[in-house]
Amino acid sequence: MGPAESTVPPASQNELQAMAYTDQLTGLGNRYRLRDKIRSLAAERASDPAPFTVALANLDGFKPINDLFGTMAGDEILCQVAHRLKACMPDGATVTRHDGDEFAIILPLIFERVGAERIGQMIKDVLSAPYDLGDRNVRLSASLGFSIYPFAGADFDELMKSAETALYRSKRRGRGQITVYSREIAQEMKRATQIEQALRNAIIADAVDVHFQPIVQLQDGRVVGFEALARWVDPDLGSVSPAVFVPLAEERGFIDTLSETLLRKAAEATLAWPRELFLSFNLSSAQLMDPSTTANILAILNGVGFDPRRLELEITETAVMTSAETASRIISELRAAGVRISLDDFGTGQSSLGRLRDFAFDKVKIDRAFVSAITKDRASEHIIKAIVTLCDGLELEVVAEGIETAAEAEKLKALGCGMGQGYFYGKPVDAAATLRYLANHYHEFAVVDRASA
Ligand code: C2E
Ligand code: CA
Ligand code: CA
């Protein structure tokens, strides 16, 4: 034993034990305490069939606080959260800090959904009061996920997994949401796993396809490019929407493989088009958080022999926001390689005008929600007019999405919107039908095509 250590009396077995079960920052129990507590409660309740409840609380928007005000401020907030949770919990409850800004609460006397939701509301209210950081106050909200023993799981691992699923669903619905793991959620999870397996197989079997939808110049209706849209028909599940399977691939961690296949197919098909037409490809939010995205994309383009200057990548604001620094780096790298960037679904979600300035975009796509309301609703018309003016000033191109009627097209033209896309101009169709579309709608192409035949 070294001299320094000999001056401190050795910790007793009990003290060591307590330390191993304590979160140093907040003084709450840690993950091991949580596990022990749940295990012993489950063992107790196995003979006495009374349920109990596990809650996970995760702060919304905690990371930006850490980034903006420093980890000291972040730690201070975590301690205040711990304090508030301990103070408001019913008798018999145990609060632990589970991981980072995630807290777990074991509620031995909550037996069913309504009780869980009531306490969830209380926790949410308690955590959303302002936090005093000395020189400033900050506000945060919390998302909650609950699992009830034994329905949502009979042991620690299952209960935690169900609570995490519930929490994840809350997060996905926005801020300050409460979800209790239910039979319906269990059903949906089962179906998601079915889809996941089928999709993984479809990718291997090369059964996921890409369709293309024309994007036109509104002034003269001329095609300027196409958006690639993923299509998948499973023999058992039928046609599954990309709005279902793309988020699923993201969630289950294989969006890279899926997206790679799709981009390769799309780029290959594009090689047969007139050179001046661009390909617009949707990038998923997970890809904007992955630093290897640029290299992967450029490698695929290189492999296919596709000029990066013909590629546009559509990204959404949520994607940009979740991991702003990485996203911003990926965007600049891609732009440096000649790829253009479109901001998709603009006007929905968390639109911020500041984002148009902070990120280097080339194009903005106005969401269909405004376009389909434009002929009925003055407000939508004004919003589109404002977006067009704004984009003109910032030298951004504008595409209106989801144009279905001639009246909408006329209105958009009158408002000065440059480009459009929608069923009125063409539905998404496969590569072969796209070539036929080009032969019919793209004059130069028809000439070239005939010349080369
Ligand atoms: P999105 O990027 O906003 O794509 C536009 C969606 O609107 C497409 O739905 C398209 O078929 C549909 N649409 C186009 N014109 C009209 C119209 O006039 N009326 C109506 N009602 N709908 C129209 P789709 O193909 O079902 O795709 C849904 C979403 O799935 C896409 O929304 C996109 O977020 C995602 N997605 C599709 N393909 C891919 C892909 O290859 N990669 C990624 N990451 N996401 C994809
Ligand atoms: Ca899109
Ligand atoms: Ca869109």
Side-chain angles (χ1 to χ4, degrees), residues 227 282 314 344-346 365-368 401:
E227 176 176 1
N282 292 286
E314 303 193 4
D344 203 356
D345 305 338
F346 190 72
K365 298 187 79 173
I366 305 177
D367 194 79
R368 179 161 70 88
E401 292 189 292

Side-chain angles (χ1 to χ4, degrees), residues 61-62 65 68-69 73 77 80 84 127-141:
F62 179 69
I65 299 267
L68 242 61
F69 304 138
I77 289 177
Q80 290 186 29
R84 289 183 194 184
L127 295 185
S128 59
Y131 292 83
D132 180 5
L133 291 181
D135 52 344
R136 58 168 72 80
N137 279 344
V138 297
R139 273 179 180 281
L140 289 171
S141 55

